[in-house]
Amino acid sequence: MVTFRRRSGRTGRSSPTALRAPSPLTALSLLLASLLSSLCLLLAPQAAAHDAKRPAHPERDWIGSTLRDHERPGPGTPPPPQLASVEGVDVSSHNGSVPWSSLWNSGNRFAYVKATEGTSYTNPSFAQQYNGSYDAGMIRGAYHFALPDNSGGAAQAAYFATHGGGWSQDGRTLPGVLDMEYNPYGPTCYGMSASALVRWISDFFATYQARTGRDAVIYTSTGWWKQCTGNYGGFAAAHPLWVPRYGSSAGELPAGWGYYTFWQYTDTGPTVGDHNRFNGAYSRLQALATG
């Protein structure tokens, strides 16, 4: 047995004393400390992964920005004018301060403005763009750049509705848009199955409708929709379609939709790049805004 010498307080003699084992309470404390240390090491990578899900470059993520990296959407030459159609534009922070009077004078009558991305980004130019288009006389609306692997559809719809994506029955505010396109940060379909993405979109739509009373528009390319949702056709009855294709026609549409409501026909147009066409007369655009 290992011993050490202890001096006696009464006689001054030394006597042998055994080295005692830790008490049960001390042993338990040491075990808990070890477990806590291990837990911290396990949680650290998860916290880093959560931080990594925050948008890395939201200023470069505008509606249709991922299209040319994945598809051949066409040259972007303007299609011939149509009688029953309305010209418009879409903008985000990369456009900065937009000269709305110039766009109005060149015939644009509606605008969609990026409001949010994920659940942590708001467009710093939103006020100038959203209010500026309205002040110029345009019918305006807001859109949300979706990051389905960042957080749930309901959470992103709520964030969007709270940060610029709401709707007012003033006759000049369009329903919000859910922008579903190629992942700018990783796997094309956000590492999710087709059924999981359909559920995510459904959750977004249900929450947005509950918050605003309107059914959201969906922006998506036929190529992405086929690849990532299995060409699901169940949203067409309630949700207007905004489709991108840069050429003389909108081309093939995703399953379920017999026609498009908005068509993004170029990303190289004058002043702001992205130009769109509403599929109907101006009175129909007003009806969509009115609800």
PDB file of all heavy atoms in Angstrom, residues 98-119:
ATOM      1  N   VAL A  98     -32.318  52.058 -58.403  1.00  0.00           N
ATOM      2  CA  VAL A  98     -32.899  51.837 -59.731  1.00  0.00           C
ATOM      3  C   VAL A  98     -33.573  53.115 -60.243  1.00  0.00           C
ATOM      4  O   VAL A  98     -34.346  53.746 -59.525  1.00  0.00           O
ATOM      5  CB  VAL A  98     -33.933  50.689 -59.677  1.00  0.00           C
ATOM      6  CG1 VAL A  98     -34.600  50.503 -61.038  1.00  0.00           C
ATOM      7  CG2 VAL A  98     -33.262  49.396 -59.222  1.00  0.00           C
ATOM      8  N   PRO A  99     -33.307  53.509 -61.494  1.00  0.00           N
ATOM      9  CA  PRO A  99     -33.962  54.690 -62.073  1.00  0.00           C
ATOM     10  C   PRO A  99     -35.381  54.351 -62.547  1.00  0.00           C
ATOM     11  O   PRO A  99     -35.628  54.106 -63.730  1.00  0.00           O
ATOM     12  CB  PRO A  99     -33.045  55.041 -63.244  1.00  0.00           C
ATOM     13  CG  PRO A  99     -32.431  53.748 -63.660  1.00  0.00           C
ATOM     14  CD  PRO A  99     -32.293  52.933 -62.412  1.00  0.00           C
ATOM     15  N   TRP A 100     -36.310  54.365 -61.639  1.00  0.00           N
ATOM     16  CA  TRP A 100     -37.656  53.892 -61.940  1.00  0.00           C
ATOM     17  C   TRP A 100     -38.368  54.743 -62.987  1.00  0.00           C
ATOM     18  O   TRP A 100     -39.146  54.220 -63.790  1.00  0.00           O
ATOM     19  CB  TRP A 100     -38.478  53.820 -60.659  1.00  0.00           C
ATOM     20  CG  TRP A 100     -37.996  52.728 -59.759  1.00  0.00           C
ATOM     21  CD1 TRP A 100     -37.352  52.863 -58.562  1.00  0.00           C
ATOM     22  CD2 TRP A 100     -38.080  51.321 -60.012  1.00  0.00           C
ATOM     23  NE1 TRP A 100     -37.033  51.631 -58.052  1.00  0.00           N
ATOM     24  CE2 TRP A 100     -37.471  50.660 -58.916  1.00  0.00           C
ATOM     25  CE3 TRP A 100     -38.606  50.556 -61.051  1.00  0.00           C
ATOM     26  CZ2 TRP A 100     -37.388  49.276 -58.833  1.00  0.00           C
ATOM     27  CZ3 TRP A 100     -38.521  49.172 -60.971  1.00  0.00           C
ATOM     28  CH2 TRP A 100     -37.918  48.552 -59.885  1.00  0.00           C
ATOM     29  N   SER A 101     -38.139  56.032 -62.988  1.00  0.00           N
ATOM     30  CA  SER A 101     -38.815  56.875 -63.979  1.00  0.00           C
ATOM     31  C   SER A 101     -38.391  56.496 -65.394  1.00  0.00           C
ATOM     32  O   SER A 101     -39.216  56.502 -66.322  1.00  0.00           O
ATOM     33  CB  SER A 101     -38.528  58.349 -63.705  1.00  0.00           C
ATOM     34  OG  SER A 101     -37.134  58.612 -63.749  1.00  0.00           O
ATOM     35  N   SER A 102     -37.124  56.135 -65.569  1.00  0.00           N
ATOM     36  CA  SER A 102     -36.646  55.714 -66.897  1.00  0.00           C
ATOM     37  C   SER A 102     -37.319  54.415 -67.321  1.00  0.00           C
ATOM     38  O   SER A 102     -37.715  54.267 -68.493  1.00  0.00           O
ATOM     39  CB  SER A 102     -35.124  55.528 -66.878  1.00  0.00           C
ATOM     40  OG  SER A 102     -34.469  56.751 -66.613  1.00  0.00           O
ATOM     41  N   LEU A 103     -37.450  53.483 -66.391  1.00  0.00           N
ATOM     42  CA  LEU A 103     -38.115  52.223 -66.719  1.00  0.00           C
ATOM     43  C   LEU A 103     -39.592  52.433 -67.016  1.00  0.00           C
ATOM     44  O   LEU A 103     -40.155  51.812 -67.929  1.00  0.00           O
ATOM     45  CB  LEU A 103     -37.940  51.235 -65.565  1.00  0.00           C
ATOM     46  CG  LEU A 103     -36.523  50.663 -65.405  1.00  0.00           C
ATOM     47  CD1 LEU A 103     -36.362  49.992 -64.054  1.00  0.00           C
ATOM     48  CD2 LEU A 103     -36.204  49.679 -66.529  1.00  0.00           C
ATOM     49  N   TRP A 104     -40.228  53.321 -66.268  1.00  0.00           N
ATOM     50  CA  TRP A 104     -41.627  53.640 -66.547  1.00  0.00           C
ATOM     51  C   TRP A 104     -41.780  54.261 -67.938  1.00  0.00           C
ATOM     52  O   TRP A 104     -42.669  53.869 -68.707  1.00  0.00           O
ATOM     53  CB  TRP A 104     -42.169  54.578 -65.479  1.00  0.00           C
ATOM     54  CG  TRP A 104     -43.551  55.088 -65.778  1.00  0.00           C
ATOM     55  CD1 TRP A 104     -43.886  56.231 -66.450  1.00  0.00           C
ATOM     56  CD2 TRP A 104     -44.790  54.451 -65.447  1.00  0.00           C
ATOM     57  NE1 TRP A 104     -45.247  56.364 -66.540  1.00  0.00           N
ATOM     58  CE2 TRP A 104     -45.832  55.270 -65.934  1.00  0.00           C
ATOM     59  CE3 TRP A 104     -45.116  53.276 -64.768  1.00  0.00           C
ATOM     60  CZ2 TRP A 104     -47.172  54.942 -65.780  1.00  0.00           C
ATOM     61  CZ3 TRP A 104     -46.466  52.961 -64.605  1.00  0.00           C
ATOM     62  CH2 TRP A 104     -47.465  53.782 -65.113  1.00  0.00           C
ATOM     63  N   ASN A 105     -40.906  55.183 -68.257  1.00  0.00           N
ATOM     64  CA  ASN A 105     -40.992  55.862 -69.550  1.00  0.00           C
ATOM     65  C   ASN A 105     -40.722  54.931 -70.720  1.00  0.00           C
ATOM     66  O   ASN A 105     -41.163  55.201 -71.846  1.00  0.00           O
ATOM     67  CB  ASN A 105     -40.010  57.035 -69.602  1.00  0.00           C
ATOM     68  CG  ASN A 105     -40.404  58.165 -68.660  1.00  0.00           C
ATOM     69  OD1 ASN A 105     -41.578  58.298 -68.302  1.00  0.00           O
ATOM     70  ND2 ASN A 105     -39.438  58.967 -68.239  1.00  0.00           N
ATOM     71  N   SER A 106     -40.023  53.821 -70.460  1.00  0.00           N
ATOM     72  CA  SER A 106     -39.760  52.858 -71.538  1.00  0.00           C
ATOM     73  C   SER A 106     -40.820  51.762 -71.601  1.00  0.00           C
ATOM     74  O   SER A 106     -40.682  50.799 -72.354  1.00  0.00           O
ATOM     75  CB  SER A 106     -38.371  52.223 -71.370  1.00  0.00           C
ATOM     76  OG  SER A 106     -38.284  51.520 -70.147  1.00  0.00           O
ATOM     77  N   GLY A 107     -41.892  51.917 -70.827  1.00  0.00           N
ATOM     78  CA  GLY A 107     -43.043  51.042 -70.975  1.00  0.00           C
ATOM     79  C   GLY A 107     -43.237  49.975 -69.921  1.00  0.00           C
ATOM     80  O   GLY A 107     -44.168  49.169 -70.013  1.00  0.00           O
ATOM     81  N   ASN A 108     -42.406  49.936 -68.903  1.00  0.00           N
ATOM     82  CA  ASN A 108     -42.552  48.924 -67.856  1.00  0.00           C
ATOM     83  C   ASN A 108     -43.621  49.350 -66.853  1.00  0.00           C
ATOM     84  O   ASN A 108     -43.601  50.485 -66.368  1.00  0.00           O
ATOM     85  CB  ASN A 108     -41.221  48.707 -67.147  1.00  0.00           C
ATOM     86  CG  ASN A 108     -40.189  48.096 -68.065  1.00  0.00           C
ATOM     87  OD1 ASN A 108     -40.211  46.890 -68.316  1.00  0.00           O
ATOM     88  ND2 ASN A 108     -39.288  48.921 -68.590  1.00  0.00           N
ATOM     89  N   ARG A 109     -44.506  48.409 -66.523  1.00  0.00           N
ATOM     90  CA  ARG A 109     -45.645  48.739 -65.671  1.00  0.00           C
ATOM     91  C   ARG A 109     -45.724  47.909 -64.391  1.00  0.00           C
ATOM     92  O   ARG A 109     -46.607  48.131 -63.570  1.00  0.00           O
ATOM     93  CB  ARG A 109     -46.948  48.581 -66.475  1.00  0.00           C
ATOM     94  CG  ARG A 109     -47.073  49.593 -67.619  1.00  0.00           C
ATOM     95  CD  ARG A 109     -47.163  51.002 -67.066  1.00  0.00           C
ATOM     96  NE  ARG A 109     -47.262  52.029 -68.101  1.00  0.00           N
ATOM     97  CZ  ARG A 109     -46.246  52.744 -68.571  1.00  0.00           C
ATOM     98  NH1 ARG A 109     -45.017  52.527 -68.091  1.00  0.00           N
ATOM     99  NH2 ARG A 109     -46.414  53.652 -69.501  1.00  0.00           N
ATOM    100  N   PHE A 110     -44.818  46.964 -64.212  1.00  0.00           N
ATOM    101  CA  PHE A 110     -44.781  46.242 -62.951  1.00  0.00           C
ATOM    102  C   PHE A 110     -43.338  45.894 -62.612  1.00  0.00           C
ATOM    103  O   PHE A 110     -42.446  45.899 -63.468  1.00  0.00           O
ATOM    104  CB  PHE A 110     -45.655  44.977 -62.981  1.00  0.00           C
ATOM    105  CG  PHE A 110     -45.111  43.839 -63.826  1.00  0.00           C
ATOM    106  CD1 PHE A 110     -44.265  42.878 -63.268  1.00  0.00           C
ATOM    107  CD2 PHE A 110     -45.459  43.716 -65.159  1.00  0.00           C
ATOM    108  CE1 PHE A 110     -43.772  41.835 -64.036  1.00  0.00           C
ATOM    109  CE2 PHE A 110     -44.975  42.667 -65.937  1.00  0.00           C
ATOM    110  CZ  PHE A 110     -44.132  41.724 -65.376  1.00  0.00           C
ATOM    111  N   ALA A 111     -43.115  45.603 -61.317  1.00  0.00           N
ATOM    112  CA  ALA A 111     -41.775  45.257 -60.842  1.00  0.00           C
ATOM    113  C   ALA A 111     -41.878  44.282 -59.688  1.00  0.00           C
ATOM    114  O   ALA A 111     -42.766  44.403 -58.827  1.00  0.00           O
ATOM    115  CB  ALA A 111     -41.017  46.507 -60.396  1.00  0.00           C
ATOM    116  N   TYR A 112     -40.977  43.314 -59.668  1.00  0.00           N
ATOM    117  CA  TYR A 112     -40.803  42.445 -58.516  1.00  0.00           C
ATOM    118  C   TYR A 112     -39.427  42.712 -57.919  1.00  0.00           C
ATOM    119  O   TYR A 112     -38.433  42.825 -58.647  1.00  0.00           O
ATOM    120  CB  TYR A 112     -40.936  40.972 -58.900  1.00  0.00           C
ATOM    121  CG  TYR A 112     -42.328  40.423 -58.674  1.00  0.00           C
ATOM    122  CD1 TYR A 112     -43.142  40.058 -59.753  1.00  0.00           C
ATOM    123  CD2 TYR A 112     -42.828  40.252 -57.387  1.00  0.00           C
ATOM    124  CE1 TYR A 112     -44.421  39.546 -59.549  1.00  0.00           C
ATOM    125  CE2 TYR A 112     -44.105  39.750 -57.167  1.00  0.00           C
ATOM    126  CZ  TYR A 112     -44.887  39.387 -58.243  1.00  0.00           C
ATOM    127  OH  TYR A 112     -46.149  38.889 -58.022  1.00  0.00           O
ATOM    128  N   VAL A 113     -39.378  42.804 -56.593  1.00  0.00           N
ATOM    129  CA  VAL A 113     -38.169  43.184 -55.868  1.00  0.00           C
ATOM    130  C   VAL A 113     -37.804  42.085 -54.877  1.00  0.00           C
ATOM    131  O   VAL A 113     -38.667  41.610 -54.132  1.00  0.00           O
ATOM    132  CB  VAL A 113     -38.393  44.510 -55.105  1.00  0.00           C
ATOM    133  CG1 VAL A 113     -37.136  44.908 -54.337  1.00  0.00           C
ATOM    134  CG2 VAL A 113     -38.815  45.616 -56.067  1.00  0.00           C
ATOM    135  N   LYS A 114     -36.536  41.691 -54.861  1.00  0.00           N
ATOM    136  CA  LYS A 114     -36.093  40.715 -53.860  1.00  0.00           C
ATOM    137  C   LYS A 114     -36.201  41.324 -52.472  1.00  0.00           C
ATOM    138  O   LYS A 114     -35.701  42.423 -52.217  1.00  0.00           O
ATOM    139  CB  LYS A 114     -34.651  40.274 -54.122  1.00  0.00           C
ATOM    140  CG  LYS A 114     -34.161  39.246 -53.100  1.00  0.00           C
ATOM    141  CD  LYS A 114     -32.753  38.750 -53.396  1.00  0.00           C
ATOM    142  CE  LYS A 114     -32.302  37.744 -52.342  1.00  0.00           C
ATOM    143  NZ  LYS A 114     -30.956  37.200 -52.628  1.00  0.00           N
ATOM    144  N   ALA A 115     -36.855  40.578 -51.579  1.00  0.00           N
ATOM    145  CA  ALA A 115     -36.979  41.031 -50.191  1.00  0.00           C
ATOM    146  C   ALA A 115     -36.051  40.255 -49.272  1.00  0.00           C
ATOM    147  O   ALA A 115     -35.346  40.849 -48.451  1.00  0.00           O
ATOM    148  CB  ALA A 115     -38.422  40.882 -49.719  1.00  0.00           C
ATOM    149  N   THR A 116     -36.035  38.923 -49.409  1.00  0.00           N
ATOM    150  CA  THR A 116     -35.356  38.086 -48.423  1.00  0.00           C
ATOM    151  C   THR A 116     -34.708  36.877 -49.073  1.00  0.00           C
ATOM    152  O   THR A 116     -35.012  36.500 -50.202  1.00  0.00           O
ATOM    153  CB  THR A 116     -36.360  37.602 -47.364  1.00  0.00           C
ATOM    154  OG1 THR A 116     -37.497  37.018 -48.030  1.00  0.00           O
ATOM    155  CG2 THR A 116     -36.833  38.729 -46.473  1.00  0.00           C
ATOM    156  N   GLU A 117     -33.832  36.245 -48.286  1.00  0.00           N
ATOM    157  CA  GLU A 117     -33.215  34.967 -48.644  1.00  0.00           C
ATOM    158  C   GLU A 117     -33.015  34.183 -47.357  1.00  0.00           C
ATOM    159  O   GLU A 117     -32.513  34.728 -46.362  1.00  0.00           O
ATOM    160  CB  GLU A 117     -31.875  35.189 -49.350  1.00  0.00           C
ATOM    161  CG  GLU A 117     -31.146  33.890 -49.709  1.00  0.00           C
ATOM    162  CD  GLU A 117     -29.919  34.114 -50.571  1.00  0.00           C
ATOM    163  OE1 GLU A 117     -29.835  35.156 -51.258  1.00  0.00           O
ATOM    164  OE2 GLU A 117     -29.033  33.234 -50.558  1.00  0.00           O
ATOM    165  N   GLY A 118     -33.425  32.907 -47.369  1.00  0.00           N
ATOM    166  CA  GLY A 118     -33.317  32.109 -46.153  1.00  0.00           C
ATOM    167  C   GLY A 118     -34.109  32.738 -45.019  1.00  0.00           C
ATOM    168  O   GLY A 118     -35.235  33.208 -45.200  1.00  0.00           O
ATOM    169  N   THR A 119     -33.495  32.782 -43.828  1.00  0.00           N
ATOM    170  CA  THR A 119     -34.133  33.441 -42.682  1.00  0.00           C
ATOM    171  C   THR A 119     -33.182  34.412 -41.999  1.00  0.00           C
ATOM    172  O   THR A 119     -33.335  34.709 -40.800  1.00  0.00           O
ATOM    173  CB  THR A 119     -34.607  32.402 -41.641  1.00  0.00           C
ATOM    174  OG1 THR A 119     -33.500  31.546 -41.286  1.00  0.00           O
ATOM    175  CG2 THR A 119     -35.747  31.557 -42.170  1.00  0.00           C
TER     176      THR A 119
END
